[in-house]
Amino acid sequence: DAGVIQSPRHEVTEMGQEVTLRCKPISGHDYLFWYRQTMMRGLELLIYFNNNVPIDDSGMPEDRFSAKMPNASFSTLKIQPSEPRDSAVYFCASSPGLVQETQYFGPGTRLLVL
Amino acid sequence: SQQGEEDPQALSIQEGENATMNCSYKTSINNLQWYRQNSGRGLVHLILIRSNEREKHSGRLRVTLDTSKKSSSLLITASRAADTASYFCATDEPGYSTLTFGKGTMLLVSP
């Protein structure tokens, strides 16, 4: 398996633009997580899905953020409109189980909002 | 939700030396995991230790868990330049369904 795949790897955009981040989890994993990593706040869980259903989105910072998982092999995280404070590295991770299982992280998308 | 805190924030050693990183947490846990993150990469799982375990080994890694002190340590023996990375502990608490990651220890191993 190729592992968790994320695209794009880097994204530079201007404030106010829409940004869409994509993730393909490892086949057979039931859980998918979206994280954001910054120097100030560390690694923050934004939302996670179980069998394509959003379970906990309490980490989503505000309504400008939305996430979907239309099928078991694809998820998106959308920011609209983007703001400079959204600049961060966004990781997708998947897991065959929940807390006691290892999480497998993708390489991340480095987002810069100018 | 609690957050594990790693100590020190940064550590610089020479190749061949041992590196020890610590993680403290505030409430009870079921398990504690350690992850490594190389620069520009995602996190990679290293080891999981359960609350009823005191020590675990994996290659050059040794993890200890002291639930009475609410702390864990990660020891990397005979370090190599390739061990240069950030190391994170992740905890789970009974009643919470996800992991909480600390802010990490940055380890620099110089040749």
Side-chain angles (χ1 to χ4, degrees):
Chain A
D1 201 318
V4 176
I5 298 172
Q6 290 186 248
S7 65
R9 293 294 311 276
H10 302 273
E11 177 82 25
V12 180
T13 190
E14 292 188 346
M15 183 174 63
Q17 296 297 306
E18 176 181 302
V19 175
T20 299
L21 311 180
R22 298 173 177 79
C23 174
K24 176 179 168 54
I26 293 173
S27 177
H29 283 191
D30 292 334
Y31 292 88
L32 184 141
F33 307 84
W34 281 102
Y35 291 91
R36 177 173 68 176
Q37 186 178 41
T38 60
M39 289 294 292
M40 287 296 294
R41 300 174 68 90
L43 195 67
E44 303 174 278
L45 177 67
L46 300 177
I47 185 171
Y48 78 93
F49 295 82
N50 177 21
N51 292 323
N52 314 338
V53 176
I55 303 300
D56 184 355
D57 64 355
S58 61
M60 297 284 262
E62 48 197 275
D63 293 344
R64 297 185 297 106
F65 287 69
S66 63
K68 294 182 180 179
M69 192 164 185
N71 56 62
S73 60
F74 184 66
S75 176
T76 59
L77 178 68
K78 184 177 293 186
I79 308 173
Q80 180 184 20
S82 58
E83 297 182 3
R85 60 192 168 122
D86 302 330
S87 297
V89 182
Y90 291 81
F91 289 102
C92 175
S94 69
S95 169
L98 197 52
V99 180
Q100 295 196 12
E101 299 280 349
T102 296
Q103 292 189 16
Y104 297 81
F105 282 74
T109 295
R110 187 173 296 273
L111 173 65
L112 178 60
V113 183
L114 302 173
Chain B
S1 180
Q2 69 173 358
Q3 183 177 50
E5 291 187 11
E6 292 89 344
D7 170 63
Q9 288 187 323
L11 180 62
S12 182
I13 60 173
Q14 299 290 317
E15 263 191 332
E17 295 180 340
N18 296 341
T20 299
M21 288 156 272
N22 303 296
C23 171
S24 60
Y25 55 91
K26 293 184 175 60
T27 65
S28 64
I29 59 170
N30 293 317
N31 308 290
L32 186 143
Q33 302 183 35
W34 284 92
Y35 287 77
R36 183 189 73 227
Q37 183 180 30
N38 291 88
S39 179
R41 303 285 189 92
L43 280 71
V44 175
H45 180 262
L46 295 176
I47 199 164
L48 180 153
I49 187 165
R50 303 190 187 282
S51 58
N52 61 354
E53 297 176 310
R54 291 297 168 257
E55 188 171 311
K56 208 162 181 180
H57 296 255
S58 176
R60 294 184 295 112
L61 305 181
R62 172 178 167 248
V63 170
T64 61
L65 179 64
D66 187 334
T67 53
S68 66
K69 295 182 179 178
K70 295 185 172 56
S71 68
S72 173
S73 66
L74 171 66
L75 169 67
I76 304 174
T77 60
S79 63
R80 306 166 182 168
D83 295 327
T84 294
S86 291
Y87 292 82
F88 296 84
C89 67
T91 54
D92 71 309
E93 304 171 61
Y96 285 88
S97 56
T98 59
L99 293 175
T100 305
F101 288 82
K103 290 193 175 181
T105 292
M106 292 180 60
L107 173 66
L108 174 63
V109 182
S110 302

